């Protein structure tokens, strides 16, 4: 028998498993004198239903970490898990299914299909999976991200910020358990950036979405529950319940 404290919800028991984790993750590019240790033995957990920010200087391995943990790139050694499933143990079909059903990815460079309208870009993952788009969820995302008047435009007819928001809607359309977002506010002005961050925060707080976001903006990182700091392919620090000031202070200490 388990007991429930008064006032606590019984409907959403805390998940013990992290949304994703990496064990001794190494990614090496090149050979000999030209070798680059993009990831140099990373051990990290990203909690379920939490918003984690990843920070670090340019070239510290942030994008490589996101790509390896989302199964978009293969590590040189080490293990990565999404929930209980180990990515390296999946066959091609399993990996495709995981990327489609469990993971959303917002790329640093959007990766929208230039010949498709915003609407068709957003629904592409569902269309490829041959599943019906949840129209209410589509409308919600489009409304939250304020791209309703851009749905018939192609990427070349949209600003960087609008493309970024379309890319975000596309990452979320299939309600993935876990979203990786690589500098999702990198192309947004401060107002649009604050809106995007508030949207992600609400997705975590209200919908229990798990989000891992790369950012180099201390104010952006302050929306997260925890900040993980990388340097030279290693996790060098972390900060729980960050504020913009505490993040800036920590960045100063780390010399980045
Ligand atoms: P960040 O996102 O933190 O700026 P990256 O993960 O993109 O860093 O890169 C980490 C390191 O790996 C950098 O030194 C970068 O030059 C190197 N790197 C990334 N991708 C490649 C690649 N395809 N080939 C060779 N080196 C790479
Ligand atoms: Mg990067």
């Amino acid at each position: 028998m388990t007991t429930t404290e008064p006032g606590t919800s019984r409907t959403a028991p805390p998940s013990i498993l992290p949304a994703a984790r990496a064990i001794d993750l190494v990614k090496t590019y090149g050979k000999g004198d030209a070798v680059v240790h993009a990831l140099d033995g990373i051990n990290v957990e990203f909690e379920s239903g939490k918003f984690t920010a990843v920070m670090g200087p340019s070239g510290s391995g942030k994008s490589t970490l996101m790509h390896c943990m989302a199964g978009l790139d293969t590590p040189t050694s080490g293990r990565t898990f999404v929930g209980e499933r180990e990515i390296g143990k999946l066959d091609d079909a399993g990996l495709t299914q995981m990327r489609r059903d469990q993971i959303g990815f917002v790329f640093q460079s959007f990766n929208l299909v230039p010949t498709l309208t915003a609407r068709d870009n957003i629904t592409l993952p569902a269309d490829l999976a041959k599943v019906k788009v949840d129209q209410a969820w589509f409308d919600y995302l489009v409304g939250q991200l304020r791209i309703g008047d851009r749905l018939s435009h192609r990427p070349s007819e949209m600003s960087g910020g609008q493309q970024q928001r379309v890319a975000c809607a596309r990452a979320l359309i299939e309600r993935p358990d876990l979203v990786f977002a690589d500098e999702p506010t990198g192309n947004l002005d401060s107002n649009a950036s604050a809106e995007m961050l508030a949207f992600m925060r609400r997705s975590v707080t209200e919908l229990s979405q798990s989000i891992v976001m790369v950012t180099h903006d201390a104010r952006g990182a302050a929306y997260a529950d925890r900040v993980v700091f990388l340097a030279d392919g290693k996790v060098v620090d972390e900060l729980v319940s960050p504020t913009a000031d505490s993040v800036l202070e920590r960045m100063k200490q780390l010399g980045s």
Side-chain angles (χ1 to χ4, degrees):
M1 272 278 289
T2 53
T3 53
T4 307
E5 282 174 45
T8 57
S9 165
R10 294 166 59 98
T11 51
S15 175
I16 303 152
L17 265 185
R21 63 194 159 111
I23 301 171
D24 298 334
L25 198 63
V26 171
K27 178 71 178 182
T28 307
Y29 291 109
K31 287 200 178 93
D33 287 350
V35 73
V36 175
H37 299 286
L39 302 178
D40 196 7
I42 296 242
N43 289 286
V44 74
E45 291 192 350
F46 297 123
E47 284 170 282
S48 193
K50 297 279 179 166
F51 189 176
T52 310
V54 175
M55 301 190 83
S58 182
S60 58
K62 304 180 298 294
S63 293
T64 307
L65 179 64
M66 296 299 102
H67 291 159
C68 287
M69 293 194 74
L72 298 168
D73 200 351
T74 312
T76 306
S77 64
R79 305 165 76 188
T80 59
F81 293 80
V82 170
E84 62 190 359
R85 300 172 79 195
E86 181 169 359
I87 291 187
K89 296 246 163 82
L90 299 172
D91 59 14
D92 280 355
L95 187 58
T96 301
Q97 189 205 15
M98 171 184 284
R99 286 203 301 244
R100 194 185 64 206
D101 299 340
Q102 282 185 272
I103 300 172
F105 204 100
V106 184
F107 291 90
Q108 199 165 359
S109 49
F110 323 138
N111 278 11
L112 296 177
V113 180
T115 51
L116 296 181
T117 62
R119 176 189 298 280
D120 291 345
N121 265 289
I122 295 168
T123 60
L124 187 62
D127 295 342
L128 288 175
K130 297 193 169 61
V131 296
K132 201 169 173 300
V133 171
D134 178 341
Q135 190 60 42
W137 179 238
F138 178 94
D139 293 342
Y140 171 82
L141 288 176
V142 161
Q144 289 279 315
L145 291 162
R146 296 198 305 110
I147 44 179
D149 58 349
R150 286 291 175 279
L151 292 177
S152 58
H153 291 61
R154 292 192 170 77
S156 62
E157 300 157 346
M158 291 185 280
S159 71
Q162 288 164 346
Q163 292 180 60
Q164 191 71 289
R165 284 179 276 154
V166 170
C168 186
R170 179 185 58 182
L172 291 166
I173 192 68
E174 288 224 73
R175 297 177 182 273
D177 304 327
L178 172 61
V179 174
F180 290 105
D182 195 352
E183 302 200 30
T185 59
N187 294 279
L188 306 182
D189 62 37
S190 55
N191 280 340
S193 174
E195 269 184 32
M196 170 76 97
L197 289 158
F199 167 72
M200 292 198 287
R201 181 69 254 174
R202 279 197 304 278
S203 304
V204 172
T205 306
E206 294 169 15
L207 308 172
S208 294
Q209 181 74 63
S210 308
I211 298 184
V212 181
M213 171 185 74
V214 173
T215 181
H216 44 233
D217 173 21
R219 277 171 305 175
Y223 284 79
D225 297 299
R226 183 170 69 114
V227 185
V228 172
F229 294 91
L230 297 191
D232 299 327
K234 294 187 176 74
V235 174
V236 290
D237 210 346
E238 68 165 58
L239 194 57
V240 175
S241 303
T243 63
D245 285 343
S246 67
V247 171
L248 281 173
E249 185 60 33
R250 197 60 65 95
M251 287 166 80
K252 225 185 328 177
Q253 285 168 14
L254 294 169
S256 56

Coordinates of all heavy atoms in Angstrom, one line a residue, residues 59 61-64 108 182-183 214, ligand 2:
G59 N 31.9 25.7 -29.7 CA 32.8 24.6 -30.0 C 33.0 23.6 -28.8 O 33.7 22.7 -28.8
G61 N 30.8 21.5 -27.7 CA 30.2 20.2 -27.9 C 28.7 20.1 -27.8 O 28.1 19.1 -27.8
K62 N 28.1 21.3 -27.6 CA 26.6 21.3 -27.3 C 25.8 20.7 -28.4 O 25.0 19.8 -28.2 CB 26.2 22.8 -27.1 CG 27.0 23.5 -26.0 CD 26.5 25.0 -25.8 CE 26.6 25.9 -27.0 NZ 28.0 26.1 -27.4
S63 N 26.1 21.1 -29.7 CA 25.3 20.5 -30.8 C 25.6 19.0 -31.0 O 24.6 18.2 -31.2 CB 25.6 21.3 -32.1 OG 25.1 22.6 -32.0
T64 N 26.8 18.7 -30.8 CA 27.2 17.3 -30.9 C 26.5 16.4 -29.9 O 25.9 15.3 -30.2 CB 28.7 17.1 -30.8 OG1 29.4 18.0 -31.7 CG2 29.1 15.7 -31.1
Q108 N 19.5 24.1 -35.0 CA 20.1 25.4 -35.0 C 19.8 26.1 -36.3 O 19.6 27.3 -36.3 CB 21.6 25.2 -34.7 CG 22.3 26.5 -34.3 CD 23.7 26.2 -33.7 OE1 24.1 25.1 -33.6 NE2 24.3 27.3 -33.3
D182 N 18.2 23.3 -30.2 CA 19.6 23.8 -30.3 C 19.5 25.3 -30.7 O 19.3 25.6 -31.8 CB 20.3 23.0 -31.4 CG 21.8 23.2 -31.3 OD1 22.3 24.0 -30.6 OD2 22.5 22.5 -32.1
E183 N 19.7 26.1 -29.7 CA 19.6 27.5 -29.8 C 18.4 28.0 -30.5 O 18.4 28.7 -31.5 CB 20.9 28.1 -30.5 CG 22.2 27.7 -29.8 CD 23.4 28.5 -30.1 OE1 23.2 29.7 -30.4 OE2 24.5 28.0 -30.0
V214 N 19.7 24.2 -25.8 CA 21.0 24.8 -25.9 C 20.8 26.3 -26.0 O 20.0 26.8 -26.8 CB 21.9 24.3 -27.1 CG1 23.1 25.2 -27.2 CG2 22.2 22.9 -27.0
Ligands
LIG2 MG1 26.1 24.4 -31.8

